[in-house]
């Protein structure tokens, strides 16, 4: 794996790969790589002769300085993961390289980026869209891999690519979960043992939502209420939101019956750690279908890297 630190070197590496007929697959990350990231890298490696991983903790998308400071960073361990997974290029720029001066141009994706995470974390999606636009601009034509774990982020990126005619194909990869249902996230490493146990409440809430849908509930607020009740039953968790939305644009439909694809979203805080999760509302309740990746059963010891 070759590590490049500058935008120019990254652009050059991917241009060279294209010239050699190796179509690049890009996996944008903020590091602290875990099995969820590995599944993105594996999906990219299966389809591309050149896999590039970007590792950059983007200050623009953090609404709290404390959250930015706490975000786990371990470039050495990340490079080991990348080398083992056959990654060709790691782009690991400094903040100064990515933002030589505070940007006056930012990307705002209206509507799809405004509710839920957009409301709880003002400016978050502008920061995400701006850095992803910069990464895409540096990478050039490529296929980019994102996890469904950040479902709203995926919708924001897709919309930005479409609105701005970016030469990037976006591929969504399924969520990878621990055996007890917790979606893998770099933030899980920050949970205390007690909060880690309590964090399964997000998965249980999604399951309650799916059961409500399977039982014929078509009112989004009732499905959301069933999910919220589960989160509120866990004393260590504090609910940010629970919702049943149209998966295509994250709007709330009048009835779930008329909606082709319904996504359940939940966000909650455990101590200082904020977790989000989601699943297909029509995946069978109690199962992992639509809520999980192929690498379903991870043992607890593998949850970190
Ligand atoms: O999902 C992430 O890790 C980040 O939001 C991303 C897409 C790499 C942008 O910083």
């Amino acid at each position: 794996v070759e590590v490049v630190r500058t935008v120019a070197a990254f652009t050059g590496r991917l241009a060279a790969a294209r010239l050699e007929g190796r179509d690049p697959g890009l996996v944008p990350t903020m590091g602290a790589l875990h099995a969820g990231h590995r599944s993105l890298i594996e999906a990219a490696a299966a389809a591309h002769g050149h896999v590039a991983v970007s590792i950059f903790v983007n200050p623009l998308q953090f609404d709290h300085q404390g959250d930015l400071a706490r975000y786990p960073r371990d470039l050495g361990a990340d490079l080991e993961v990348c080398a083992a997974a056959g990654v060709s290029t790691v782009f690991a720029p400094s903040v100064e390289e990515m933002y030589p001066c505070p940007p006056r141009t930012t990307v705002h994706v209206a509507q799809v980026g405004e509710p839920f995470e957009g409301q709880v974390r003002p400016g978050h999606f502008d920061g995400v869209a701006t850095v992803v636009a910069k990464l895409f601009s540096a990478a050039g034509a490529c296929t980019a891999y994102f996890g469904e774990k950040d479902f709203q982020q995926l919708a924001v990126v897709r919309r930005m690519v479409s609105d701005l005619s970016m030469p990037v194909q976006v591929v969504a990869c399924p969520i990878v979960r621990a055996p007890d249902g917790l979606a893998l996230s770099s933030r899980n490493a920050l949970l205390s043992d007690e909060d880690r146990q309590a964090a399964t409440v997000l998965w249980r809430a999604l399951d309650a939502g799916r059961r409500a849908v399977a039982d014929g509930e078509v009112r989004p607020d009732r499905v959301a209420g069933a999910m919220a009740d589960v989160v509120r039953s866990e004393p260590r968790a504090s609910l940010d939101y629970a919702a049943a939305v149209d998966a295509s644009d994250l709007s709330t439909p009048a009835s779930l019956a008329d909606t082709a694809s319904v996504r359940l979203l939940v966000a909650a805080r455990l101590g200082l750690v904020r977790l989000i999760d989601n699943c297909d509302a029509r995946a069978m309740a109690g199962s992992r279908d639509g809520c999980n990746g192929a690498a379903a059963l991870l043992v607890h010891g593998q949850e970190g890297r």
Side-chain angles (χ1 to χ4, degrees):
V1 53
E2 184 168 328
V3 182
V4 294
R5 300 282 187 176
T6 65
V7 171
F10 179 50
T11 303
R13 283 277 296 173
L14 268 56
R18 271 188 295 271
L19 278 177
E20 290 161 9
R22 292 185 294 131
D23 177 33
L26 171 65
V27 183
T29 81
M30 295 205 300
L33 302 181
H34 51 65
H37 295 110
R38 273 207 303 270
S39 75
L40 302 181
I41 296 172
E42 281 161 14
H48 299 273
H50 187 111
V51 176
V53 172
S54 64
I55 298 178
F56 178 62
V57 181
N58 172 34
L60 239 54
Q61 70 188 72
F62 287 81
D63 45 331
H64 290 295
Q65 286 310 305
D67 197 20
L68 173 61
R70 266 196 308 276
Y71 200 83
R73 292 166 173 87
D74 190 345
L75 186 60
D78 290 344
L79 291 180
E80 279 175 29
V81 171
C82 290
V87 170
S88 310
T89 302
V90 168
F91 177 43
S94 64
V95 173
E96 294 70 30
E97 174 68 14
M98 285 300 271
Y99 303 114
C101 54
R104 291 193 178 150
T105 306
T106 55
V107 181
H108 176 75
V109 182
Q111 290 188 351
V112 70
E114 284 163 1
F116 308 118
E117 292 303 290
Q119 203 169 356
V120 179
R121 306 177 66 190
H124 169 66
F125 284 126
D126 291 1
V128 170
T130 302
V131 81
V132 173
K134 282 175 74 83
L135 290 170
F136 286 175
S137 169
C142 66
T143 305
Y145 291 77
F146 290 87
E148 284 189 333
K149 156 85 178 22
D150 295 296
F151 196 78
Q152 192 175 8
Q153 167 173 285
L154 182 61
V156 164
V157 170
R158 279 192 195 286
R159 188 64 202 228
M160 173 185 77
V161 164
S162 158
D163 285 350
L164 300 182
S165 308
M166 292 174 162
V168 176
Q169 202 193 329
V170 175
V171 173
C173 297
I175 297 173
V176 180
R177 297 181 182 279
D180 64 3
L182 182 68
L184 297 197
S185 161
S186 305
R187 291 174 192 271
N188 294 354
L190 304 173
L191 292 165
S192 67
D193 288 349
E194 294 78 10
D195 286 339
R196 167 64 190 81
Q197 278 192 332
T200 57
V201 74
L202 278 86
W203 162 251
R204 289 185 275 118
L206 292 173
D207 207 36
R210 287 191 297 168
R211 281 182 204 285
V213 172
D215 289 347
E217 183 56 71
V218 294
R219 290 164 292 186
D221 58 326
R222 292 299 174 95
V223 175
M227 293 161 63
D229 285 348
V230 173
V231 178
R232 291 198 185 103
S233 71
E234 169 51 65
R236 302 187 77 87
S238 140
L239 179 72
D240 268 354
Y241 59 78
V245 299
D246 184 328
S248 66
D249 61 1
L250 274 73
S251 63
T252 304
S255 164
L256 301 181
D258 319 323
T259 312
S261 175
V262 177
R263 204 81 190 177
L264 304 179
L265 310 176
V266 65
R269 286 167 210 268
L270 288 115
L272 289 174
V273 184
R274 196 168 170 277
L275 298 178
I276 58 174
D277 202 352
N278 70 87
C279 78
D280 178 349
R282 296 194 179 109
M284 198 173 47
S287 89
R288 290 165 182 271
D289 296 348
C291 289
N292 210 349
L297 293 180
L298 302 161
V299 296
H300 279 289
Q302 290 177 325
E303 265 180 52
R305 281 169 225 297

